Coordinates of all heavy atoms in Angstrom, one line a residue:
V352 N -8.7 7.9 17.0 CA -7.8 6.8 17.0 C -6.3 7.2 16.8 O -5.4 6.4 17.1 CB -8.2 5.7 16.1 CG1 -9.7 5.3 16.3 CG2 -7.9 6.1 14.6
A356 N -2.9 4.7 13.9 CA -4.0 3.6 13.8 C -4.9 3.8 12.5 O -5.3 2.8 11.9 CB -4.9 3.7 15.1
W359 N -2.9 2.5 9.5 CA -2.8 1.1 9.6 C -4.1 0.4 9.3 O -4.0 -0.5 8.4 CB -2.4 0.7 11.1 CG -2.3 -0.8 11.4 CD1 -3.4 -1.6 11.6 CD2 -1.2 -1.6 11.4 NE1 -3.0 -2.9 11.8 CE2 -1.6 -2.9 11.8 CE3 0.2 -1.3 11.3 CZ2 -0.7 -4.0 11.9 CZ3 1.1 -2.4 11.4 CH2 0.6 -3.7 11.8
Y360 N -5.1 0.8 9.9 CA -6.4 0.0 9.7 C -7.0 0.2 8.2 O -7.5 -0.7 7.7 CB -7.4 0.4 10.7 CG -7.3 -0.3 12.1 CD1 -6.5 0.3 13.1 CD2 -7.9 -1.5 12.3 CE1 -6.3 -0.3 14.3 CE2 -7.7 -2.2 13.4 CZ -7.0 -1.6 14.4 OH -6.8 -2.3 15.7
V374 N -13.7 0.7 15.7 CA -13.1 2.1 16.3 C -12.7 1.9 17.7 O -11.6 2.5 18.1 CB -14.2 3.1 16.2 CG1 -13.6 4.5 16.7 CG2 -14.6 3.4 14.6
D375 N -13.4 1.2 18.5 CA -13.0 1.0 19.9 C -11.6 0.4 20.0 O -10.7 0.8 20.9 CB -14.0 0.3 20.7 CG -15.4 0.9 20.7 OD1 -15.5 2.1 20.9 OD2 -16.4 0.3 20.3
L376 N -11.4 -0.7 19.2 CA -10.1 -1.3 19.3 C -9.0 -0.5 18.7 O -7.9 -0.4 19.2 CB -10.2 -2.7 18.5 CG -8.9 -3.4 18.4 CD1 -8.3 -3.9 19.8 CD2 -9.1 -4.7 17.5
A377 N -9.3 0.2 17.6 CA -8.3 1.1 17.0 C -7.8 2.1 17.9 O -6.7 2.6 17.9 CB -8.9 1.7 15.7
A378 N -8.7 2.6 18.9 CA -8.4 3.7 19.8 C -7.7 3.1 21.0 O -7.0 3.9 21.8 CB -9.6 4.5 20.1
E379 N -7.6 1.8 21.1 CA -7.1 1.3 22.4 C -5.6 1.3 22.5 O -4.9 0.9 21.5 CB -7.6 -0.2 22.6 CG -7.4 -0.7 23.9 CD -8.1 -2.1 24.1 OE1 -9.4 -2.1 23.8 OE2 -7.5 -3.1 24.6
K380 N -5.0 1.7 23.5 CA -3.6 1.7 23.7 C -3.1 0.4 24.5 O -2.6 0.5 25.6 CB -3.0 3.0 24.5 CG -3.5 4.3 23.8 CD -2.9 4.5 22.5 CE -3.3 5.9 21.9 NZ -2.8 6.1 20.5
S381 N -3.3 -0.6 23.8 CA -2.8 -1.9 24.4 C -2.4 -2.9 23.3 O -2.5 -2.5 22.2 CB -4.0 -2.6 25.1 OG -4.9 -3.2 24.3
Q382 N -1.8 -4.0 23.8 CA -1.2 -4.9 22.8 C -2.3 -5.7 22.1 O -2.0 -6.5 21.1 CB -0.1 -5.8 23.4 CG 1.0 -5.0 23.8 CD 2.2 -5.9 24.1 OE1 2.6 -6.7 23.4 NE2 2.8 -5.7 25.3
K383 N -3.6 -5.5 22.5 CA -4.7 -6.1 21.6 C -4.8 -5.4 20.3 O -5.4 -5.9 19.3 CB -6.0 -6.1 22.4 CG -6.0 -7.0 23.6 CD -7.4 -7.1 24.2 CE -7.8 -5.7 24.8 NZ -9.2 -5.9 25.5
N384 N -4.3 -4.1 20.3 CA -4.4 -3.3 19.0 C -3.2 -3.6 18.2 O -2.0 -3.4 18.7 CB -4.5 -1.9 19.5 CG -4.6 -0.9 18.2 OD1 -4.4 -1.3 17.1 ND2 -5.0 0.3 18.5
P385 N -3.3 -4.2 17.0 CA -2.2 -4.7 16.3 C -1.1 -3.6 16.0 O 0.2 -3.9 16.1 CB -2.7 -5.2 15.0 CG -4.1 -4.7 14.8 CD -4.5 -4.6 16.2
V386 N -1.5 -2.3 15.7 CA -0.6 -1.3 15.4 C 0.3 -1.0 16.6 O 1.4 -0.8 16.6 CB -1.2 -0.1 14.7 CG1 -2.2 0.6 15.7 CG2 -0.2 1.0 14.3
Y387 N -0.4 -0.9 17.7 CA 0.2 -0.6 19.0 C 1.2 -1.7 19.3 O 2.4 -1.5 19.8 CB -0.8 -0.5 20.2 CG -0.3 0.0 21.5 CD1 -0.2 1.3 21.8 CD2 0.2 -1.0 22.4 CE1 0.3 1.7 23.1 CE2 0.8 -0.6 23.6 CZ 0.8 0.7 24.0 OH 1.3 1.1 25.2
Y388 N 0.8 -2.9 19.1 CA 1.7 -4.2 19.4 C 2.9 -4.1 18.5 O 4.0 -4.4 19.2 CB 0.8 -5.4 19.0 CG 1.6 -6.7 19.1 CD1 1.9 -7.3 20.4 CD2 1.9 -7.4 18.0 CE1 2.5 -8.5 20.5 CE2 2.5 -8.6 18.0 CZ 2.9 -9.1 19.3 OH 3.6 -10.4 19.3
V389 N 2.9 -3.7 17.3 CA 4.1 -3.7 16.5 C 4.9 -2.5 16.9 O 6.2 -2.6 17.0 CB 3.7 -3.5 15.0 CG1 5.0 -3.2 14.2 CG2 3.0 -4.8 14.5
Q390 N 4.3 -1.3 17.1 CA 5.1 -0.1 17.6 C 5.7 -0.5 19.0 O 6.9 0.1 19.2 CB 4.2 1.0 17.8 CG 3.7 1.6 16.5 CD 2.7 2.7 16.6 OE1 1.9 2.7 17.5 NE2 2.9 3.8 15.8
Y391 N 5.1 -1.2 19.8 CA 5.7 -1.5 21.1 C 7.0 -2.2 21.0 O 8.0 -2.1 21.7 CB 4.6 -2.3 21.9 CG 5.1 -2.6 23.4 CD1 5.3 -1.5 24.3 CD2 5.5 -3.8 23.8 CE1 5.7 -1.8 25.6 CE2 5.9 -4.1 25.1 CZ 6.0 -3.0 26.0 OH 6.6 -3.3 27.2
A392 N 7.0 -3.2 20.0 CA 8.2 -4.0 19.8 C 9.4 -3.1 19.3 O 10.5 -3.2 19.8 CB 8.0 -5.0 18.6
I451 N 3.4 -7.8 12.0 CA 2.9 -8.4 13.1 C 3.6 -9.8 13.3 O 4.1 -10.1 14.5 CB 1.4 -8.8 13.0 CG1 0.5 -7.5 13.0 CG2 0.8 -9.8 14.0 CD1 -0.9 -7.7 12.6
H458 N 9.1 -10.7 20.1 CA 8.6 -10.8 21.4 C 8.9 -12.3 22.0 O 9.3 -12.4 23.2 CB 7.1 -10.6 21.6 CG 6.8 -9.2 21.4 ND1 7.3 -8.2 22.2 CD2 5.9 -8.5 20.5 CE1 6.8 -6.9 21.8 NE2 5.9 -7.2 20.9
M501 N 7.1 4.6 24.3 CA 5.5 4.4 24.4 C 5.1 4.3 25.9 O 5.9 3.7 26.7 CB 5.1 3.2 23.6 CG 5.3 3.3 22.1 SD 4.7 1.9 21.0 CE 3.0 2.0 21.3

Side-chain angles (χ1 to χ4, degrees):
V352 306
W359 174 282
Y360 278 91
V374 177
D375 301 311
L376 176 60
E379 193 167 313
K380 303 296 184 184
S381 79
Q382 294 196 51
K383 290 190 294 183
N384 183 345
V386 64
Y387 186 93
Y388 174 72
V389 173
Q390 289 178 317
Y391 184 69
I451 290 171
H458 286 306
M501 291 181 70

